[in-house]
Amino acid sequence: MDIKKVVIVGGGTAGWLAANHLGKELLKREGVSVTLIESPDIPPIGVGEGTVPDIRQTLLNFGISETDFIRECDATFKQSIKFVNWMDKNTYGDGNFYHHLFDVPNSSHAKILTEHWLNQKNTDKHYAHNLSSQHLICEHGLAPKDITTPEYQADLAYAYHLNAGKFAQLLAKNAKEKYQVEHILANVEAVKCDNNGFISNLITDVHGELAFDFYIDCSGFDSILLSKTLNIPFISVADSLLVDSALVVQVPTQPEDNIPPYTIATAHQAGWVWDIALSSRRGVGFVYSSKHITDEKAKLKFDKYLGEKCQDLSYRKISMKVGFREKFWHKNCVALGLAQGFLEPLEATSILLTDFCAKFLTQRFPHNRSQIEYLEQRFNHSMQYAWQRVVDFIKLHYCISDRTDSSFWIENKESHTIPQTLKDRLTLWKDFVPVKDDFFSQFEVFYLENFLFVLYGMGYSTDVIGERKATDSDMAEYFERKEKIDEFLKNKLPKHRDLLEKIKKFGLQNI
Protein backbone atom coordinates (compact mmCIF):
# COMPACT_ATOMS: atom_id res chain seq x y z
CA MET A 1 0.00 0.00 0.00
CA ASP A 2 1.48 3.32 -1.07
CA ILE A 3 1.52 6.14 1.48
CA LYS A 4 -0.26 9.03 -0.20
CA LYS A 5 -2.30 10.69 2.54
CA VAL A 6 -0.47 11.84 5.69
CA VAL A 7 -2.29 13.42 8.62
CA ILE A 8 -1.00 15.31 11.67
CA VAL A 9 -3.37 15.20 14.63
CA GLY A 10 -2.83 18.28 16.78
CA GLY A 11 -1.56 21.79 16.14
CA GLY A 12 0.54 24.02 18.37
CA THR A 13 4.29 24.31 17.95
CA ALA A 14 4.82 20.56 17.59
CA GLY A 15 2.09 20.02 15.01
CA TRP A 16 3.04 22.94 12.82
CA LEU A 17 6.78 22.22 13.04
CA ALA A 18 5.96 18.72 11.82
CA ALA A 19 3.70 20.16 9.10
CA ASN A 20 6.52 22.30 7.73
CA HIS A 21 9.13 19.53 7.85
CA LEU A 22 6.82 16.96 6.26
CA GLY A 23 5.17 19.43 3.92
CA LYS A 24 8.49 20.53 2.47
CA GLU A 25 9.75 16.97 2.01
CA LEU A 26 6.56 15.33 0.77
CA LEU A 27 5.72 18.14 -1.65
CA LYS A 28 8.45 16.57 -3.81
CA ARG A 29 6.44 13.32 -4.07
CA GLU A 30 3.72 13.20 -6.68
CA GLY A 31 0.22 12.65 -5.36
CA VAL A 32 1.17 12.88 -1.66
CA SER A 33 -0.80 15.22 0.60
CA VAL A 34 -0.35 16.43 4.19
CA THR A 35 -3.34 17.38 6.37
CA LEU A 36 -3.32 18.82 9.88
CA ILE A 37 -6.39 18.31 12.08
CA GLU A 38 -6.56 20.72 14.99
CA SER A 39 -9.14 20.92 17.74
CA PRO A 40 -10.80 24.34 18.04
CA ASP A 41 -11.60 23.60 21.69
CA ILE A 42 -8.22 22.55 23.17
CA PRO A 43 -5.78 25.42 23.84
CA PRO A 44 -2.07 24.68 23.41
CA ILE A 45 0.17 24.49 26.48
CA GLY A 46 1.81 27.68 25.21
CA VAL A 47 4.78 27.95 27.56
CA GLY A 48 7.56 26.58 25.34
CA GLU A 49 9.14 29.98 24.77
CA GLY A 50 12.84 29.09 24.65
CA THR A 51 14.83 27.58 21.78
CA VAL A 52 18.39 26.50 20.96
CA PRO A 53 20.55 27.69 18.02
CA ASP A 54 19.46 24.84 15.69
CA ILE A 55 16.11 26.58 15.27
CA ARG A 56 17.76 29.24 13.09
CA GLN A 57 18.65 26.68 10.43
CA THR A 58 15.16 25.21 10.67
CA LEU A 59 13.49 28.59 10.06
CA LEU A 60 15.90 29.33 7.22
CA ASN A 61 15.11 25.94 5.63
CA PHE A 62 11.40 26.74 5.86
CA GLY A 63 12.02 30.01 4.00
CA ILE A 64 10.72 32.12 6.88
CA SER A 65 12.05 35.67 7.02
CA GLU A 66 13.86 36.35 10.29
CA THR A 67 12.47 39.89 10.27
CA ASP A 68 8.91 38.58 9.95
CA PHE A 69 9.55 36.01 12.65
CA ILE A 70 10.86 38.59 15.13
CA ARG A 71 8.05 41.03 14.39
CA GLU A 72 5.20 38.52 14.43
CA CYS A 73 6.29 36.33 17.35
CA ASP A 74 7.50 39.03 19.78
CA ALA A 75 10.85 37.28 19.53
CA THR A 76 14.00 38.30 21.37
CA PHE A 77 17.53 36.98 21.06
CA LYS A 78 18.78 34.26 23.39
CA GLN A 79 22.54 33.82 23.68
CA SER A 80 22.73 31.79 26.86
CA ILE A 81 21.01 30.35 29.88
CA LYS A 82 22.17 32.13 33.02
CA PHE A 83 21.97 29.72 35.95
CA VAL A 84 21.60 31.55 39.26
CA ASN A 85 21.91 29.98 42.73
CA TRP A 86 22.51 26.45 41.49
CA MET A 87 25.44 26.26 43.91
CA ASP A 88 25.84 26.91 47.64
CA LYS A 89 25.23 30.65 48.07
CA ASN A 90 27.40 30.72 51.20
CA THR A 91 30.36 29.69 49.07
CA TYR A 92 29.77 31.82 45.99
CA GLY A 93 27.85 34.86 47.28
CA ASP A 94 26.91 37.36 44.58
CA GLY A 95 28.96 35.42 42.04
CA ASN A 96 26.70 32.38 42.35
CA PHE A 97 25.85 32.09 38.68
CA TYR A 98 27.23 30.68 35.48
CA HIS A 99 26.39 30.96 31.78
CA HIS A 100 25.67 28.09 29.41
CA LEU A 101 26.67 30.04 26.31
CA PHE A 102 25.82 29.28 22.69
CA ASP A 103 28.98 30.68 21.09
CA VAL A 104 32.26 28.82 21.48
CA PRO A 105 34.79 30.24 19.00
CA ASN A 106 37.63 28.52 20.85
CA SER A 107 36.14 25.04 20.92
CA SER A 108 39.28 23.59 19.30
CA HIS A 109 41.23 24.80 22.33
CA ALA A 110 38.58 23.88 24.89
CA LYS A 111 40.63 21.13 26.53
CA ILE A 112 43.72 23.31 27.01
CA LEU A 113 41.65 26.27 28.22
CA THR A 114 39.75 24.04 30.62
CA GLU A 115 42.94 22.52 32.02
CA HIS A 116 44.41 26.00 32.45
CA TRP A 117 41.27 27.21 34.24
CA LEU A 118 41.27 24.18 36.55
CA ASN A 119 44.87 24.88 37.47
CA GLN A 120 44.09 28.49 38.35
CA LYS A 121 42.64 27.66 41.75
CA ASN A 122 42.08 31.26 42.77
CA THR A 123 40.81 32.70 39.50
CA ASP A 124 38.07 35.32 39.85
CA LYS A 125 36.89 34.74 36.28
CA HIS A 126 33.88 32.56 35.45
CA TYR A 127 34.71 29.48 33.41
CA ALA A 128 32.61 30.64 30.43
CA HIS A 129 34.51 33.94 30.34
CA ASN A 130 37.66 32.00 29.36
CA LEU A 131 36.00 30.29 26.41
CA SER A 132 33.92 32.98 24.76
CA SER A 133 33.44 36.73 24.43
CA GLN A 134 29.72 36.02 24.66
CA HIS A 135 29.97 35.93 28.46
CA LEU A 136 30.92 39.62 28.50
CA ILE A 137 28.31 40.49 25.85
CA CYS A 138 25.55 38.79 27.85
CA GLU A 139 26.55 40.48 31.10
CA HIS A 140 26.43 43.87 29.33
CA GLY A 141 22.96 43.13 27.89
CA LEU A 142 24.09 43.40 24.26
CA ALA A 143 22.66 41.79 21.12
CA PRO A 144 24.51 39.08 19.14
CA LYS A 145 24.63 41.25 16.00
CA ASP A 146 23.75 44.69 14.68
CA ILE A 147 21.16 45.96 12.21
CA THR A 148 23.56 45.72 9.24
CA THR A 149 24.00 41.97 9.69
CA PRO A 150 21.89 39.86 7.28
CA GLU A 151 19.13 37.56 8.48
CA TYR A 152 20.24 34.48 10.41
CA GLN A 153 23.87 35.63 10.43
CA ALA A 154 25.64 37.12 13.44
CA ASP A 155 28.86 37.89 15.27
CA LEU A 156 27.84 35.41 17.98
CA ALA A 157 25.67 32.29 17.99
CA TYR A 158 22.12 32.71 19.22
CA ALA A 159 18.63 31.24 19.49
CA TYR A 160 15.36 32.99 20.39
CA HIS A 161 12.74 33.56 23.03
CA LEU A 162 9.31 33.66 21.44
CA ASN A 163 5.57 33.78 21.98
CA ALA A 164 4.66 30.12 21.48
CA GLY A 165 1.09 30.85 20.36
CA LYS A 166 2.17 33.36 17.74
CA PHE A 167 4.99 31.07 16.63
CA ALA A 168 2.49 28.29 15.91
CA GLN A 169 0.42 30.74 13.85
CA LEU A 170 3.46 31.77 11.80
CA LEU A 171 4.40 28.14 11.19
CA ALA A 172 0.80 27.37 10.20
CA LYS A 173 0.72 30.18 7.66
CA ASN A 174 4.02 29.04 6.18
CA ALA A 175 3.00 25.38 5.92
CA LYS A 176 -0.33 26.18 4.26
CA GLU A 177 1.01 28.75 1.80
CA LYS A 178 4.34 27.17 0.85
CA TYR A 179 3.73 23.45 1.24
CA GLN A 180 -0.02 23.18 0.61
CA VAL A 181 -0.75 21.59 3.98
CA GLU A 182 -4.52 21.27 4.41
CA HIS A 183 -5.85 22.59 7.74
CA ILE A 184 -8.99 21.08 9.28
CA LEU A 185 -10.56 22.35 12.49
CA ALA A 186 -12.28 19.40 14.16
CA ASN A 187 -12.25 17.20 17.23
CA VAL A 188 -11.15 13.59 16.82
CA GLU A 189 -13.77 11.59 18.71
CA ALA A 190 -12.70 8.05 17.86
CA VAL A 191 -9.94 6.15 16.06
CA LYS A 192 -10.32 2.92 14.07
CA CYS A 193 -7.67 0.30 13.35
CA ASP A 194 -7.59 -2.49 10.74
CA ASN A 195 -7.07 -6.18 11.41
CA ASN A 196 -3.28 -5.75 11.34
CA GLY A 197 -3.28 -3.08 14.05
CA PHE A 198 -2.67 -0.17 11.69
CA ILE A 199 -4.72 3.00 12.16
CA SER A 200 -7.23 3.23 9.33
CA ASN A 201 -9.72 6.02 10.10
CA LEU A 202 -10.41 9.01 12.32
CA ILE A 203 -13.94 9.84 13.39
CA THR A 204 -14.35 13.62 13.71
CA ASP A 205 -17.23 15.72 14.98
CA VAL A 206 -17.36 18.03 11.95
CA HIS A 207 -16.14 16.01 8.96
CA GLY A 208 -17.24 12.54 9.94
CA GLU A 209 -14.98 9.63 9.07
CA LEU A 210 -11.60 10.44 7.47
CA ALA A 211 -9.11 7.88 6.16
CA PHE A 212 -5.36 8.36 5.84
CA ASP A 213 -2.33 6.18 5.17
CA PHE A 214 0.05 7.54 7.81
CA TYR A 215 -0.60 9.32 11.12
CA ILE A 216 1.52 11.81 13.10
CA ASP A 217 0.40 12.14 16.73
CA CYS A 218 0.92 15.72 17.95
CA SER A 219 -2.01 15.63 20.35
CA GLY A 220 0.04 16.63 23.38
CA PHE A 221 0.03 14.86 26.75
CA ASP A 222 -3.17 13.01 25.76
CA SER A 223 -1.41 11.18 22.91
CA ILE A 224 -4.72 10.00 21.53
CA LEU A 225 -3.12 7.90 18.78
CA LEU A 226 0.09 6.32 20.10
CA SER A 227 -1.03 5.99 23.71
CA LYS A 228 -4.82 5.76 23.83
CA THR A 229 -5.32 3.88 20.55
CA LEU A 230 -2.13 1.84 20.07
CA ASN A 231 -1.48 1.40 23.81
CA ILE A 232 2.24 2.21 23.75
CA PRO A 233 3.40 2.36 27.40
CA PHE A 234 4.94 5.42 29.06
CA ILE A 235 8.40 5.18 30.65
CA SER A 236 8.63 7.44 33.68
CA VAL A 237 11.98 9.01 34.58
CA ALA A 238 10.59 10.63 37.72
CA ASP A 239 13.14 8.71 39.81
CA SER A 240 15.89 10.75 38.11
CA LEU A 241 14.20 14.04 37.25
CA LEU A 242 12.33 15.02 40.40
CA VAL A 243 10.38 18.11 39.34
CA ASP A 244 6.80 17.43 38.32
CA SER A 245 4.86 20.71 38.59
CA ALA A 246 5.02 24.31 37.40
CA LEU A 247 3.22 27.55 38.14
CA VAL A 248 3.30 29.85 35.10
CA VAL A 249 2.43 33.50 34.56
CA GLN A 250 2.88 36.27 32.03
CA VAL A 251 4.23 39.50 33.52
CA PRO A 252 3.68 42.76 31.59
CA THR A 253 6.76 44.93 31.05
CA GLN A 254 7.36 48.56 30.17
CA PRO A 255 8.91 49.82 26.90
CA GLU A 256 11.99 51.04 28.76
CA ASP A 257 12.58 47.79 30.68
CA ASN A 258 15.81 45.92 30.07
CA ILE A 259 15.59 42.74 27.97
CA PRO A 260 18.26 40.24 29.05
CA PRO A 261 19.68 38.43 26.00
CA TYR A 262 19.48 35.11 27.85
CA THR A 263 17.09 32.93 29.82
CA ILE A 264 17.42 33.29 33.58
CA ALA A 265 17.13 29.99 35.47
CA THR A 266 17.13 30.63 39.23
CA ALA A 267 17.30 27.63 41.54
CA HIS A 268 15.27 27.44 44.75
CA GLN A 269 14.91 24.86 47.52
CA ALA A 270 12.76 22.43 45.50
CA GLY A 271 13.38 23.29 41.84
CA TRP A 272 13.97 26.43 39.81
CA VAL A 273 12.35 29.45 38.12
CA TRP A 274 12.54 30.31 34.43
CA ASP A 275 12.38 33.97 33.45
CA ILE A 276 12.13 34.78 29.74
CA ALA A 277 11.85 38.34 28.48
CA LEU A 278 9.94 39.01 25.27
CA SER A 279 9.54 42.48 23.80
CA SER A 280 6.42 43.37 25.84
CA ARG A 281 6.19 40.79 28.62
CA ARG A 282 8.07 38.20 30.63
CA GLY A 283 7.12 34.55 30.68
CA VAL A 284 7.93 33.21 34.14
CA GLY A 285 7.51 29.72 35.55
CA PHE A 286 8.11 28.26 39.00
CA VAL A 287 9.17 24.64 38.48
CA TYR A 288 9.14 22.37 41.52
CA SER A 289 8.87 18.89 42.97
CA SER A 290 5.52 18.36 44.68
CA LYS A 291 7.22 15.75 46.85
CA HIS A 292 9.49 18.41 48.34
CA ILE A 293 7.24 21.48 48.52
CA THR A 294 3.48 21.97 48.74
CA ASP A 295 1.52 23.89 46.12
CA GLU A 296 0.69 26.53 48.72
CA LYS A 297 4.31 27.08 49.70
CA ALA A 298 5.34 27.09 46.03
CA LYS A 299 2.87 29.90 45.38
CA LEU A 300 4.24 31.94 48.30
CA LYS A 301 7.79 31.51 47.03
CA PHE A 302 6.71 32.46 43.52
CA ASP A 303 5.06 35.58 44.95
CA LYS A 304 8.35 36.47 46.60
CA TYR A 305 10.31 35.96 43.38
CA LEU A 306 7.99 38.19 41.35
CA GLY A 307 7.69 40.91 43.99
CA GLU A 308 4.76 42.83 45.45
CA LYS A 309 3.79 44.62 42.23
CA CYS A 310 2.90 41.27 40.63
CA GLN A 311 0.69 39.96 43.43
CA ASP A 312 -2.51 40.58 41.48
CA LEU A 313 -1.49 38.20 38.67
CA SER A 314 -3.10 34.77 38.59
CA TYR A 315 -0.95 31.68 38.12
CA ARG A 316 -1.72 28.65 35.98
CA LYS A 317 -0.59 25.28 37.29
CA ILE A 318 0.81 22.63 34.95
CA SER A 319 1.34 19.07 36.15
CA MET A 320 4.26 17.44 34.38
CA LYS A 321 4.37 13.72 33.69
CA VAL A 322 8.11 13.30 33.24
CA GLY A 323 9.26 10.61 30.82
CA PHE A 324 8.70 9.31 27.30
CA ARG A 325 6.99 6.56 25.32
CA GLU A 326 8.45 3.07 25.10
CA LYS A 327 8.24 3.52 21.32
CA PHE A 328 7.77 6.68 19.28
CA TRP A 329 6.83 4.89 16.03
CA HIS A 330 4.39 1.98 15.95
CA LYS A 331 2.83 0.60 12.77
CA ASN A 332 1.72 3.65 10.70
CA CYS A 333 1.86 6.17 13.55
CA VAL A 334 4.68 8.40 14.81
CA ALA A 335 4.37 10.64 17.86
CA LEU A 336 6.10 14.02 18.09
CA GLY A 337 6.18 16.76 20.73
CA LEU A 338 4.43 16.16 24.05
CA ALA A 339 2.82 13.01 22.61
CA GLN A 340 6.34 11.53 22.59
CA GLY A 341 7.12 12.63 26.11
CA PHE A 342 8.27 15.50 28.29
CA LEU A 343 11.26 15.91 30.57
CA GLU A 344 11.08 19.43 32.01
CA PRO A 345 11.63 22.97 30.66
CA LEU A 346 15.34 23.16 31.58
CA GLU A 347 17.56 23.75 28.50
CA ALA A 348 14.50 24.22 26.21
CA THR A 349 14.37 20.50 25.43
CA SER A 350 10.74 20.31 24.25
CA ILE A 351 11.00 22.34 21.02
CA LEU A 352 14.53 21.02 20.53
CA LEU A 353 13.47 17.35 20.59
CA THR A 354 10.38 18.00 18.45
CA ASP A 355 12.45 19.72 15.78
CA PHE A 356 15.21 17.10 16.02
CA CYS A 357 12.80 14.14 15.70
CA ALA A 358 10.73 15.72 12.91
CA LYS A 359 13.87 16.35 10.82
CA PHE A 360 15.01 12.77 11.35
CA LEU A 361 11.60 11.42 10.35
CA THR A 362 11.57 13.31 7.04
CA GLN A 363 15.01 12.00 6.08
CA ARG A 364 13.60 8.48 5.73
CA PHE A 365 9.85 8.81 5.36
CA PRO A 366 8.25 5.62 3.97
CA HIS A 367 6.88 5.48 0.43
CA ASN A 368 4.79 2.41 1.15
CA ARG A 369 3.74 0.15 4.00
CA SER A 370 6.40 -2.50 3.21
CA GLN A 371 9.12 -0.07 4.35
CA ILE A 372 7.56 0.71 7.72
CA GLU A 373 8.95 -2.17 9.81
CA TYR A 374 12.66 -1.43 9.35
CA LEU A 375 12.19 2.35 9.34
CA GLU A 376 10.22 2.04 12.58
CA GLN A 377 13.09 0.11 14.20
CA ARG A 378 15.65 2.64 12.98
CA PHE A 379 13.63 5.61 14.25
CA ASN A 380 12.87 4.12 17.66
CA HIS A 381 16.46 3.02 18.26
CA SER A 382 17.91 6.42 17.39
CA MET A 383 15.32 8.57 19.13
CA GLN A 384 15.34 6.46 22.30
CA TYR A 385 19.07 7.05 22.51
CA ALA A 386 18.57 10.79 22.01
CA TRP A 387 15.92 11.03 24.75
CA GLN A 388 18.03 9.03 27.21
CA ARG A 389 21.04 11.29 26.67
CA VAL A 390 18.88 14.38 27.21
CA VAL A 391 17.80 12.87 30.54
CA ASP A 392 21.50 12.55 31.42
CA PHE A 393 22.21 16.17 30.51
CA ILE A 394 19.28 17.56 32.49
CA LYS A 395 20.17 15.41 35.51
CA LEU A 396 23.75 16.72 35.37
CA HIS A 397 22.56 20.19 36.44
CA TYR A 398 21.15 18.78 39.67
CA CYS A 399 23.46 15.97 40.71
CA ILE A 400 26.76 17.89 40.66
CA SER A 401 25.42 20.84 42.66
CA ASP A 402 26.99 21.32 46.09
CA ARG A 403 23.68 22.54 47.56
CA THR A 404 22.63 20.63 50.68
CA ASP A 405 20.08 23.10 52.04
CA SER A 406 17.02 20.93 51.35
CA SER A 407 15.97 17.32 50.86
CA PHE A 408 15.40 18.08 47.14
CA TRP A 409 19.05 18.87 46.47
CA ILE A 410 20.28 16.06 48.69
CA GLU A 411 18.08 13.49 46.94
CA ASN A 412 19.26 14.68 43.53
CA LYS A 413 22.80 13.60 44.45
CA GLU A 414 21.82 10.13 45.67
CA SER A 415 23.27 7.42 43.47
CA HIS A 416 19.98 5.68 42.70
CA THR A 417 18.62 8.87 41.06
CA ILE A 418 21.54 9.19 38.61
CA PRO A 419 21.40 7.21 35.31
CA GLN A 420 24.28 4.75 34.96
CA THR A 421 25.46 6.30 31.69
CA LEU A 422 25.86 9.66 33.44
CA LYS A 423 27.61 8.03 36.41
CA ASP A 424 30.11 6.43 34.02
CA ARG A 425 30.84 9.73 32.32
CA LEU A 426 31.22 11.61 35.60
CA THR A 427 33.67 8.95 36.80
CA LEU A 428 35.70 9.42 33.62
CA TRP A 429 35.60 13.20 33.96
CA LYS A 430 36.97 13.06 37.51
CA ASP A 431 40.34 12.20 35.95
CA PHE A 432 40.07 13.56 32.41
CA VAL A 433 38.67 16.75 30.88
CA PRO A 434 35.85 15.85 28.44
CA VAL A 435 36.79 15.63 24.76
CA LYS A 436 34.74 15.17 21.57
CA ASP A 437 35.36 11.42 21.49
CA ASP A 438 33.29 11.11 24.66
CA PHE A 439 30.28 12.06 22.51
CA PHE A 440 30.45 9.48 19.76
CA SER A 441 26.88 9.60 18.43
CA GLN A 442 25.14 12.19 16.27
CA PHE A 443 22.08 11.53 18.43
CA GLU A 444 23.62 12.98 21.59
CA VAL A 445 21.61 16.22 21.05
CA PHE A 446 23.85 17.98 23.62
CA TYR A 447 27.57 17.84 22.89
CA LEU A 448 30.98 18.60 24.35
CA GLU A 449 30.65 22.35 24.80
CA ASN A 450 27.23 22.03 26.44
CA PHE A 451 28.64 19.68 29.05
CA LEU A 452 31.77 21.81 29.59
CA PHE A 453 29.75 24.92 30.41
CA VAL A 454 27.61 23.07 32.95
CA LEU A 455 30.35 20.94 34.50
CA TYR A 456 32.83 23.72 35.12
CA GLY A 457 30.30 26.46 35.51
CA MET A 458 29.21 24.45 38.56
CA GLY A 459 32.77 23.86 39.70
CA TYR A 460 33.12 20.18 38.87
CA SER A 461 36.48 18.90 40.08
CA THR A 462 38.66 17.22 37.47
CA ASP A 463 42.19 16.15 38.42
CA VAL A 464 44.49 17.57 35.71
CA ILE A 465 47.79 17.15 37.54
CA GLY A 466 49.11 14.69 34.99
CA GLU A 467 47.97 16.67 31.95
CA ARG A 468 50.31 18.76 29.85
CA LYS A 469 49.91 22.39 30.80
CA ALA A 470 49.95 25.24 28.29
CA THR A 471 52.87 27.59 28.77
CA ASP A 472 52.32 30.87 30.57
CA SER A 473 53.33 32.76 27.45
CA ASP A 474 50.78 30.87 25.33
CA MET A 475 48.01 31.66 27.81
CA ALA A 476 49.06 35.27 28.11
CA GLU A 477 48.99 35.62 24.33
CA TYR A 478 45.56 33.97 24.13
CA PHE A 479 43.98 36.16 26.80
CA GLU A 480 45.52 39.31 25.33
CA ARG A 481 43.99 38.44 21.96
CA LYS A 482 40.66 37.56 23.55
CA GLU A 483 40.58 40.82 25.49
CA LYS A 484 40.88 42.74 22.22
CA ILE A 485 38.00 40.75 20.72
CA ASP A 486 35.93 41.38 23.85
CA GLU A 487 36.52 45.11 23.60
CA PHE A 488 35.78 45.19 19.87
CA LEU A 489 32.47 43.38 20.26
CA LYS A 490 31.47 45.42 23.30
CA ASN A 491 31.91 48.62 21.28
CA LYS A 492 30.31 47.23 18.10
CA LEU A 493 27.19 45.47 19.34
CA PRO A 494 24.05 47.41 20.32
CA LYS A 495 21.89 47.04 23.38
CA HIS A 496 19.47 44.16 22.96
CA ARG A 497 16.27 46.24 23.03
CA ASP A 498 17.77 48.83 20.67
CA LEU A 499 18.39 46.19 18.02
CA LEU A 500 14.90 44.74 18.39
CA GLU A 501 13.35 48.19 17.92
CA LYS A 502 15.42 48.76 14.78
CA ILE A 503 14.40 45.37 13.36
CA LYS A 504 10.74 46.22 13.91
CA LYS A 505 11.23 49.59 12.21
CA PHE A 506 13.67 48.82 9.39
CA GLY A 507 14.03 45.04 9.17
CA LEU A 508 17.17 42.99 8.64
CA GLN A 509 18.89 42.54 5.28
CA ASN A 510 17.79 39.51 3.29
CA ILE A 511 20.45 36.88 2.75
Side-chain angles (χ1 to χ4, degrees):
M1 180 185 292
D2 288 341
I3 293 172
K4 293 293 188 181
K5 297 176 68 177
V6 179
V7 67
I8 300 163
V9 177
T13 301
W16 287 111
L17 268 174
N20 278 274
H21 279 296
L22 288 167
K24 182 177 182 181
E25 177 61 30
L26 299 184
L27 190 63
K28 305 170 188 174
R29 300 187 185 181
E30 186 177 352
V32 177
S33 65
V34 178
T35 301
L36 186 143
I37 300 176
E38 184 173 23
S39 169
D41 304 322
I42 302 174
I45 296 294
V47 295
E49 298 187 319
T51 60
V52 299
D54 287 352
I55 197 67
R56 288 162 58 197
Q57 189 60 50
T58 294
L59 295 176
L60 181 60
N61 287 342
F62 292 164
I64 294 175
S65 157
E66 188 175 31
T67 297
D68 291 344
F69 164 69
I70 290 171
R71 287 172 174 171
E72 294 181 29
C73 299
D74 304 332
T76 58
F77 292 103
K78 174 185 174 184
Q79 301 182 67
S80 169
I81 302 173
K82 184 175 183 177
F83 290 91
V84 180
N85 293 342
W86 285 73
M87 302 295 287
D88 186 345
K89 63 183 178 182
N90 295 320
T91 302
Y92 294 88
D94 292 339
N96 190 0
F97 73 88
Y98 70 94
H99 278 281
H100 175 188
L101 301 174
F102 291 158
D103 195 87
V104 194
N106 301 301
S107 58
S108 60
H109 305 300
K111 184 174 184 290
I112 293 173
L113 291 170
T114 301
E115 290 166 359
H116 174 79
W117 185 83
L118 287 166
N119 279 303
Q120 304 301 304
K121 301 297 183 183
N122 298 315
T123 182
D124 60 351
K125 297 288 188 184
H126 287 271
Y127 172 75
H129 177 84
N130 284 341
L131 263 66
S132 175
S133 297
Q134 197 165 51
H135 187 278
L136 179 75
I137 297 308
C138 283
E139 284 299 290
H140 279 78
L142 304 180
K145 61 182 183 180
D146 59 32
I147 193 64
T148 65
T149 310
E151 293 191 332
Y152 298 114
Q153 297 180 20
D155 295 282
L156 298 167
Y158 63 88
Y160 310 98
H161 298 133
L162 51 85
N163 181 312
K166 293 183 177 181
F167 185 45
Q169 292 172 11
L170 179 69
L171 291 172
K173 179 182 177 183
N174 197 72
K176 290 185 283 187
E177 292 181 355
K178 284 200 179 97
Y179 308 129
Q180 289 136 50
V181 172
E182 182 184 5
H183 185 200
I184 295 176
L185 289 173
N187 289 298
V188 176
E189 297 183 326
V191 182
K192 290 184 177 181
C193 294
D194 63 21
N195 293 334
N196 296 314
F198 286 74
I199 297 176
S200 58
N201 301 78
L202 303 176
I203 311 300
T204 69
D205 59 351
V206 177
H207 297 275
E209 192 164 329
L210 301 173
F212 299 92
D213 304 316
F214 202 90
Y215 297 77
I216 310 295
D217 188 351
C218 292
S219 61
F221 289 126
D222 284 343
S223 184
I224 63 174
L225 302 183
L226 196 71
S227 174
K228 291 185 175 178
T229 301
L230 300 177
N231 301 311
I232 301 302
F234 183 83
I235 301 172
S236 173
V237 295
D239 289 344
S240 292
L241 304 182
L242 308 185
V243 299
D244 60 2
S245 303
L247 299 174
V248 300
V249 68
Q250 294 180 0
V251 181
T253 56
Q254 301 301 315
E256 66 275 9
D257 287 348
N258 180 46
I259 302 178
Y262 46 79
T263 297
I264 304 171
T266 304
H268 60 78
Q269 74 178 72
W272 61 283
V273 179
W274 82 70
D275 200 329
I276 289 175
L278 302 185
S279 53
S280 59
R281 66 165 171 83
R282 289 158 57 205
V284 191
F286 189 91
V287 185
Y288 61 99
S289 164
S290 61
K291 174 183 173 182
H292 297 89
I293 190 173
T294 65
D295 292 346
E296 294 73 20
K297 194 170 183 181
K299 183 180 183 303
L300 291 173
K301 286 191 169 291
F302 200 18
D303 287 342
K304 184 177 179 181
Y305 177 88
L306 293 170
E308 291 184 6
K309 65 180 181 178
C310 295
Q311 299 303 308
D312 59 338
L313 296 173
S314 59
Y315 306 149
R316 179 162 59 105
K317 183 184 175 185
I318 298 174
S319 295
M320 300 185 295
K321 190 178 178 183
V322 182
F324 46 86
R325 297 288 157 196
E326 186 177 272
K327 296 172 69 176
F328 306 130
W329 184 335
H330 183 67
K331 302 289 185 178
N332 61 337
C333 176
V334 172
L336 295 173
L338 298 178
Q340 267 196 357
F342 183 75
L343 298 180
E344 65 149 289
L346 197 67
E347 296 285 359
T349 56
S350 186
I351 292 178
L352 165 62
L353 282 166
T354 301
D355 190 38
F356 183 80
C357 293
K359 282 184 207 174
F360 188 66
L361 175 63
T362 59
Q363 290 170 6
R364 293 287 188 275
F365 195 83
H367 290 262
N368 54 65
R369 192 173 281 191
S370 67
Q371 298 171 338
I372 284 180
E373 184 176 355
Y374 66 84
L375 289 177
E376 175 186 323
Q377 292 175 355
R378 171 181 179 269
F379 186 88
N380 287 328
H381 175 75
S382 301
M383 294 303 104
Q384 284 282 348
Y385 183 89
W387 274 81
Q388 289 162 356
R389 297 294 77 74
V390 173
V391 172
D392 289 355
F393 185 60
I394 298 302
K395 181 63 178 180
L396 176 71
H397 297 67
Y398 295 100
C399 71
I400 65 172
S401 170
D402 64 353
R403 286 187 64 154
T404 56
D405 56 307
S406 71
S407 58
F408 172 81
W409 291 100
I410 292 170
E411 185 174 344
N412 263 299
K413 287 188 277 292
E414 292 177 358
S415 179
H416 71 273
T417 72
I418 306 172
Q420 188 60 48
T421 46
L422 178 57
K423 286 183 191 176
D424 293 342
R425 282 180 167 178
L426 288 173
T427 299
L428 173 67
W429 296 334
K430 276 290 183 185
D431 297 315
F432 301 94
V433 169
V435 294
K436 286 187 176 180
D437 287 348
D438 296 341
F439 306 88
F440 56 85
S441 171
Q442 64 175 329
F443 302 108
E444 296 283 348
V445 184
F446 291 101
Y447 288 96
L448 171 63
E449 290 80 11
N450 306 113
F451 277 82
L452 287 174
F453 280 128
V454 176
L455 281 167
Y456 301 115
M458 297 186 74
Y460 192 72
S461 178
T462 300
D463 183 359
V464 292
I465 294 175
E467 300 293 335
R468 181 180 63 82
K469 299 178 183 177
T471 64
D472 291 342
S473 60
D474 286 342
M475 287 294 95
E477 181 181 344
Y478 165 76
F479 286 114
E480 182 180 349
R481 186 167 63 251
K482 180 180 176 297
E483 191 172 322
K484 291 178 180 177
I485 296 172
D486 289 353
E487 193 65 21
F488 170 76
L489 289 174
K490 188 173 75 171
N491 292 327
K492 175 181 186 279
L493 295 173
K495 280 288 186 181
H496 189 198
R497 184 180 280 280
D498 291 346
L499 176 60
L500 293 169
E501 293 301 325
K502 286 184 178 179
I503 292 172
K504 288 175 183 177
K505 186 175 181 179
F506 304 110
L508 293 163
Q509 297 180 46
N510 294 326
I511 297 175

